[in-house]
Amino acid sequence: MAQNDTVMVLKMNDGSRMPAVGLGTFAPNGSVQKRDCVKAIKYAIEVGYRHFDGAFFYGNENEVGEAIREKIKDGTVKREDIFYTGKLWCTYLRPELVRKGLEESLKSLQFDYIDLFIIHWPVPLQPGDDLYPKKESGELYDNVDLLDTWEALETCKDAGLVKSIGVSNFNARQLGKILNKPGLKYKPVCNQVECHPYLKQEKLLEFCKSNDIVLVAYCPIGSSRHPTWTDQSTPVILKDPQLNSIAEKYSRTVAQIALRYLLQRGIAVIPKSFNFGRIKENFQVFDFTLAEEDMNLINNIPIKTRYINMFTNYPDWPFLDEY
């Protein structure tokens, strides 16, 4: 199925274009069988998705790459039609390890390049084969200047291994350090953060827009509520009465309303699902517009909560700042 001409695309500050709706591919260990992951990605391509958000941390780049390559092989898409986002995991933030981290993803995906490669968290971890390696002393965190990490990413871009570079989970102060770096060669094209009707990110969005940086929303319809990093008592977005009322008005699902709300604010969204019905549903957000009064109703929902709380004991945890 050809990609719909009405699908929104966001132009990034390096001239590249990002499809505004992507498919998140995170699957907690054991929650999605490998073959089901491949099937879901292939189906998403058939529905019209061209943007796929993955990461070394997710542990399934082999399957994501396999699915994309199969759809290239059968003629459904060309490689240049696909926009793949990968992420540099925290154990690779030392500048001498950055290219190795990127090459790990390239090897798993069996791609020649990655469209967008971003720093997953501004939280350096000790180098090692584990996702969370510790020194004998028990120390988890490493001491790395992220400006050096950024320089190494710029080198990877110059080498043609990645088309665009950006960040994730950075606050405005941390972004500002990169933007004000002496000798900066490339600005971050995006900042991927948790964003949804319960975490609207108004000030961070304003900061990003003022610096020509695309804000990309993960958990745009809430979270899978993984107990490792989500407080199980937090409210569920899909059960919100205001959102349900608006969804009824438009004869849409609550998820579609939440996604459309973010899109109309100029935010890219990467809802995660491996369910065929929801994958299709989450892509059907280009043929309606929320009225200003309904946008304001969502703006005024008073609940504020964050679902993803990782590395909360890190001294420079990004979410200690207001934005």
Side-chain angles (χ1 to χ4, degrees), residues 45-275:
I45 292 174
E46 290 164 8
V47 168
Y49 285 85
R50 297 295 180 263
H51 177 179
F52 295 90
D53 182 81
F56 173 82
F57 176 77
Y58 300 167
N60 59 1
E61 287 189 308
N62 284 299
E63 289 72 40
V64 174
E66 178 185 339
I68 292 171
R69 294 195 315 275
E70 285 186 14
K71 296 311 289 180
I72 291 172
K73 187 177 180 180
D74 73 10
T76 304
V77 290
K78 299 175 182 177
R79 173 64 184 92
E80 56 266 30
D81 298 329
I82 297 295
F83 186 95
Y84 180 79
T85 299
K87 302 184 186 75
L88 182 69
W89 182 238
C90 305
T91 54
Y92 292 101
L93 295 191
R94 291 186 183 183
E96 66 271 20
L97 296 178
V98 167
R99 180 160 177 158
K100 180 183 177 185
L102 171 56
E103 287 175 341
E104 289 284 352
S105 287
L106 287 169
K107 181 180 176 182
S108 295
L109 294 160
Q110 295 185 39
F111 287 175
D112 294 327
Y113 66 90
I114 286 177
D115 300 272
L116 171 61
F117 199 58
I118 62 181
I119 298 174
H120 204 151
W121 285 84
V123 180
L125 300 183
Q126 295 292 331
D129 294 332
D130 296 334
L131 290 174
Y132 303 101
K134 290 184 179 180
K135 295 173 81 172
E136 289 184 11
S137 62
E139 179 60 42
L140 173 66
Y141 300 115
D142 197 13
N143 183 25
V144 177
D145 186 339
L146 293 177
L147 296 184
D148 294 334
T149 308
W150 188 255
E151 271 192 25
L153 277 174
E154 290 178 324
T155 301
C156 291
K157 176 176 165 67
D158 284 337
L161 299 177
V162 58
K163 302 282 189 183
S164 301
I165 51 177
V167 299
S168 179
N169 295 305
F170 275 53
N171 60 36
R173 174 178 54 82
Q174 292 166 327
L175 259 177
K177 285 184 178 179
I178 295 179
L179 294 172
N180 295 316
K181 174 187 174 296
L184 179 70
K185 195 166 187 180
Y186 304 115
K187 288 170 58 171
V189 298
C190 74
N191 186 19
Q192 185 183 124
V193 295
E194 181 178 343
C195 185
H196 44 70
Y198 287 175
L199 188 64
K200 302 178 186 72
Q201 301 281 18
E202 299 99 325
K203 290 186 177 180
L204 184 60
L205 175 61
E206 183 180 346
F207 177 85
C208 286
K209 283 186 174 181
S210 70
N211 286 284
D212 199 15
I213 293 171
V214 174
L215 193 76
V216 181
Y218 67 75
C219 296
I221 54 179
S223 162
S224 55
R225 308 177 74 80
H226 195 287
T228 303
W229 46 71
T230 302
D231 180 347
Q232 298 303 293
S233 67
T234 51
V236 179
I237 288 175
L238 297 182
K239 294 181 179 179
D240 184 86
Q242 184 71 79
L243 292 172
N244 274 274
S245 174
I246 295 172
E248 189 173 336
K249 172 182 174 180
Y250 288 85
S251 299
R252 296 284 176 161
T253 66
V254 175
Q256 289 171 329
I257 297 299
L259 293 171
R260 186 69 205 183
Y261 167 71
L262 296 173
L263 289 170
Q264 285 182 215
R265 296 170 66 210
I267 300 171
V269 296
I270 44 172
K272 173 189 76 69
S273 183
F274 292 92
N275 174 285

